[in-house]
């Protein structure tokens, strides 16, 4: 009996995540295509790979009770087989005998006969209780250690549970946080749907609905694809729409909707985005078209120059560029990593208008200060707001990452504010609800400046409920069915 292709693809995905720090959402689709799995096997492989990654914390706690040595002493390959087997036994409708037998065959193929015998013995122990029974047995007492209990029950590291709880309390209040933390962690473990973004001027929501999607809840550009490959939609295949979380769309649209301040008398900015001696803005991945190289943009006109400071991989940049083409605005999309800059350029190719992709360090920009009317800073972050889509991030990140990234976020926000002209707007965005990456970054930077005011961002997300007291906005998977995007709108004065 040979291992079936679905389970082998799921196993290979887990190994790529562990060995190469790959992301499952990039590895698995490639494996499915290369191995030509049919729809049924592809669905099973996806369920097993993502399920084992999301449930790793719970399954490891259970496996620890069934193995006679620390899990760290097991061969990593065998441990991944056990995690896949535990998921089949505890979270799917696969019969227990099939889950055990298929795991034994997988262990025999990827390891050795001794590993297969151990997998058989351990998974037979796992099969004695259901998931609820195991959690009651291995998790801490929820009254004495609620965070520890939730960490096991909802499969999150304890420090992540604590951080999310603190953020809920700050934005929603302590009582609401106590009531909602379990729902938030549960939402992190749900499989997200595919959300599409129609790029204005190229497609609209109605076009996507005609091609089989459903209208989005809040963003005028959003649509949901109930099933299937998004590339099968003509609008997506031709670059007139892209895959983009609705929260990501909302924060970009909010920046476009918020009003600029008055430009002070005599403050005409500069006549070239690069400026003499400020460096070539083409860089790797730059747009070499005559339009993009033109320096004839009217510097006296307001709301004509936009910047995406950390643009990779290009979803928000494409949305901004499409809106900019309708408003006669010019977008500069900056990205420090050359390979990500190339992704941005690819995303912008179908969009008409004046836009340029540059490879540049946002903390040391090649343009002159006070150049742009609108600046989007989607800062590098821990990604704790997108655990639905990247479940492995919860096990890959550590508390030290937060402080390291927060320092970078502060530098980037200071640079974004310097890049905005007087009266210009900056949207500070992260896909993390961690307070140290969101409110504390904004408050720290604002405390050092007297030339910035914070706007109430809530009016610029019309129709979105449960936005808290402001002035910033925190979206939540359990409330809005989006990634946990954070938004602060800041204006130079």
């Amino acid at each position: 009996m040979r291992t079936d292709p679905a389970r082998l693809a799921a196993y290979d995905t887990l190994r790529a995540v562990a060995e190469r720090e790959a992301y499952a959402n990039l590895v698995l689709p490639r494996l499915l295509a290369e191995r030509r799995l049919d729809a049924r096997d592809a669905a099973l492989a996806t369920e097993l790979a993502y399920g084992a990654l999301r449930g790793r914390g719970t399954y490891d706690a259970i496996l620890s009770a069934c193995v006679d040595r620390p899990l760290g002493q097991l061969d990593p390959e065998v441990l991944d087989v056990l995690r896949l087997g535990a998921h089949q036994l505890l979270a799917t409708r696969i019969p227990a005998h099939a889950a055990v037998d298929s795991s034994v065959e997988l262990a025999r193929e990827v390891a050795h006969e001794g590993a297969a015998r151990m997998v058989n013995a351990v998974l037979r122990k796992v099969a004695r209780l259901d998931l609820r029974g195991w959690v009651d047995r291995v998790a801490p007492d929820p009254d004495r250690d609620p965070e520890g209990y939730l960490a096991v029950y909802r499969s999150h590291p304890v420090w992540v549970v604590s951080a999310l709880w603190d953020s809920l309390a700050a934005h929603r209040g302590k009582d609401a946080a106590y009531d909602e933390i379990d729902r938030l962690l549960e939402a992190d473990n749900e499989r997200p749907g595919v959300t599409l973004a129609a790029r204005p001027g190229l497609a609209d929501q109605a076009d996507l609905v005609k091609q089989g999607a459903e209208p989005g809840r809040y963003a005028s550009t959003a649509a949901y694809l109930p099933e299937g490959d998004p590339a099968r939609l003509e609008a997506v295949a031709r670059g007139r729409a892209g895959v983009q979380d609705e929260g990501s769309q909302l924060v970009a649209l909010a920046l476009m909707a918020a009003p600029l301040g008055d430009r002070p008398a005599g403050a005409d900015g500069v006549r070239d985005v690069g400026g003499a001696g400020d460096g070539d803005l083409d860089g790797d991945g730059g747009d070499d078209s005559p339009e993009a190289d033109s320096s004839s943009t009217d510097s006296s006109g307001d709301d004509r120059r936009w910047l995406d400071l950390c643009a990779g991989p290009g979803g928000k940049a494409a949305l901004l560029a499409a809106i900019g083409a309708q408003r006669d605005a010019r977008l500069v999309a900056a990205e420090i990593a050359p390979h990500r800059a190339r992704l941005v350029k690819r995303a912008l190719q179908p969009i008409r208008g004046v836009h340029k992709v540059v490879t540049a360090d946002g903390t040391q920009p090649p343009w002159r200060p006070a150049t742009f009317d609108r600046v989007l800073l989607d800062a590098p972050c821990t990604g704790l707001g997108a655990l639905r889509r990247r479940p492995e991030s919860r096990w890959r990140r550590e508390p030290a990452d937060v402080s390291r990234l927060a320092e970078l976020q502060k530098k980037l926000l200071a640079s974004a504010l310097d890049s905005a002209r007087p009266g210009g707007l900056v949207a500070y965005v992260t896909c993390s609800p961690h307070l140290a990456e969101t409110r504390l970054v904004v408050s720290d930077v604002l405390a050092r400046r007297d030339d910035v005011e914070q706007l109430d961002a809530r009016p610029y997300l019309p129709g979105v409920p449960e936005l808290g007291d402001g002035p910033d906005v925190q979206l939540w998977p359990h409330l809005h069915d989006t990634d946990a995007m954070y938004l602060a709108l800041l204006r130079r004065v």
Side-chain angles (χ1 to χ4, degrees):
M1 178 178 176
R2 185 172 177 82
T3 302
D4 66 86
R7 288 175 172 84
L8 189 58
Y11 168 82
D12 287 340
T13 299
L14 264 59
R15 296 312 306 144
V17 168
E19 293 176 342
R20 307 198 306 269
E21 293 195 350
Y23 287 104
N25 66 332
L26 301 179
V27 171
L28 183 57
R30 185 170 65 250
L31 288 176
L32 299 180
E34 290 174 353
R35 300 177 185 184
R36 299 182 179 180
L37 269 65
D38 60 29
R40 182 177 179 180
D41 281 343
L44 177 58
T46 301
E47 168 60 32
L48 297 184
Y50 277 89
L53 287 169
R54 291 190 182 102
R56 183 179 125 178
T58 305
Y59 300 147
D60 281 6
I62 295 169
L63 291 169
S64 293
C66 299
V67 177
D68 59 1
R69 72 192 86 163
L71 294 187
Q73 294 181 8
L74 297 180
D75 291 341
E77 296 82 1
V78 176
L79 182 54
D80 276 341
V81 172
L82 288 171
R83 288 165 175 162
L84 287 168
H87 180 68
Q88 293 174 71
L89 288 168
L90 301 174
T92 74
R93 297 179 180 178
I94 296 172
H97 68 88
V100 174
D101 291 348
S102 62
S103 298
V104 169
E105 290 302 322
L106 178 59
R108 185 173 288 121
E109 179 167 341
V110 303
H112 47 78
E113 186 61 36
R117 289 195 296 270
M118 191 197 75
V119 166
N120 181 61
V122 171
L123 291 184
R124 288 185 183 279
K125 292 180 183 178
V126 173
R128 293 172 185 170
L129 295 174
D130 61 11
L131 182 59
R132 185 78 240 187
W134 274 115
V135 169
D136 291 343
R137 178 174 171 178
V138 302
D141 186 313
D143 295 324
R144 296 182 179 181
D145 185 4
E147 291 180 349
Y149 173 81
L150 288 170
V152 174
Y153 180 36
R154 295 304 187 189
S155 190
H156 286 63
V158 173
W159 76 270
V160 174
V161 175
S162 180
L164 295 177
W165 204 329
D166 287 345
S167 185
L168 275 173
H171 287 278
R172 308 276 300 155
K174 291 184 178 180
D175 291 341
Y178 185 84
D179 292 337
E180 294 178 15
I181 181 62
D182 182 60
R183 290 171 53 202
L184 171 58
L185 299 175
E186 182 182 23
D188 275 349
N189 290 332
E190 293 174 355
R191 184 178 177 182
V194 176
T195 307
L196 306 176
R199 291 162 182 169
L202 300 177
D204 57 26
Q205 189 182 74
D207 294 329
L208 299 179
V209 171
K210 289 178 182 177
Q211 296 179 43
E214 299 173 357
R217 293 176 182 82
Y218 313 119
S220 60
T221 52
Y224 305 125
L225 191 62
E227 60 183 1
D229 182 1
R232 66 179 173 80
L233 274 66
E234 181 185 10
V236 176
R238 295 181 176 274
R240 297 199 291 265
V243 177
Q244 186 178 6
D245 178 72
E246 189 167 14
S248 175
Q249 299 177 52
L250 286 169
V251 296
L253 295 173
L255 172 63
M256 296 295 99
L260 299 172
D262 293 334
R263 185 192 295 270
D268 288 338
V270 295
R271 293 196 175 277
D272 185 275
V273 175
D278 285 329
D280 179 10
L281 286 191
D282 286 331
D284 291 338
D287 187 338
D288 297 327
S289 68
E291 285 187 321
D293 283 341
S294 171
S295 60
S296 61
T297 301
D298 181 5
S299 61
S300 64
D302 289 339
D303 210 6
R304 298 282 300 282
R305 293 176 172 177
W306 301 348
L307 170 66
D308 187 345
L309 190 59
C310 298
K316 295 183 185 68
L319 185 56
L320 295 181
I323 297 172
Q326 296 184 314
R327 297 190 189 179
D328 194 26
R330 174 180 184 175
L331 174 70
V332 174
E335 170 56 48
I336 190 171
H339 72 282
R340 288 170 64 86
R342 289 191 287 271
L343 293 176
V344 178
K345 185 176 181 181
R346 185 184 307 165
L348 297 183
Q349 280 179 344
I351 301 171
R352 301 182 64 182
V354 182
H355 46 75
K356 174 179 285 190
V357 180
V358 301
T359 304
D361 182 349
T363 66
Q364 300 176 8
W367 49 81
R368 291 176 178 172
T371 292
F372 296 97
D373 300 295
R374 298 180 189 268
V375 180
L376 173 66
L377 170 56
D378 184 0
C381 67
T382 57
L384 297 181
L387 297 183
R388 302 183 306 165
R389 302 181 191 282
R390 291 188 168 178
E392 62 279 336
S393 293
R394 72 187 77 183
W395 314 119
R396 190 171 290 169
R397 291 297 188 184
E398 298 178 351
D401 295 329
V402 176
S403 56
R404 175 180 57 82
L405 286 165
E407 291 306 310
L408 174 61
Q409 291 155 359
K410 293 172 187 177
K411 293 177 182 178
L412 287 167
L413 180 53
S415 177
L417 290 167
D418 290 339
S419 298
R421 54 91 165 167
L425 277 172
V426 173
Y428 176 72
V429 172
T430 70
C431 191
S432 169
H434 199 300
L435 292 174
E437 299 186 85
T438 55
R439 280 188 170 177
L440 296 182
V441 168
V442 173
S443 62
D444 184 83
V445 172
L446 294 188
R448 306 177 189 182
R449 309 183 68 122
D450 59 3
D451 63 338
V452 181
E453 62 179 350
Q454 185 168 1
L455 305 186
D456 188 343
R458 294 172 298 171
Y460 309 109
L461 285 81
V464 182
E466 304 284 2
L467 293 181
D469 298 329
D472 53 1
V473 163
Q474 179 65 64
L475 300 174
W476 298 102
H478 69 294
L479 296 178
H480 307 106
D481 197 23
T482 67
D483 291 345
M485 301 295 298
Y486 174 83
L487 169 68
L489 286 177
L490 310 173
R491 185 163 58 196
R492 289 287 301 273
V493 297

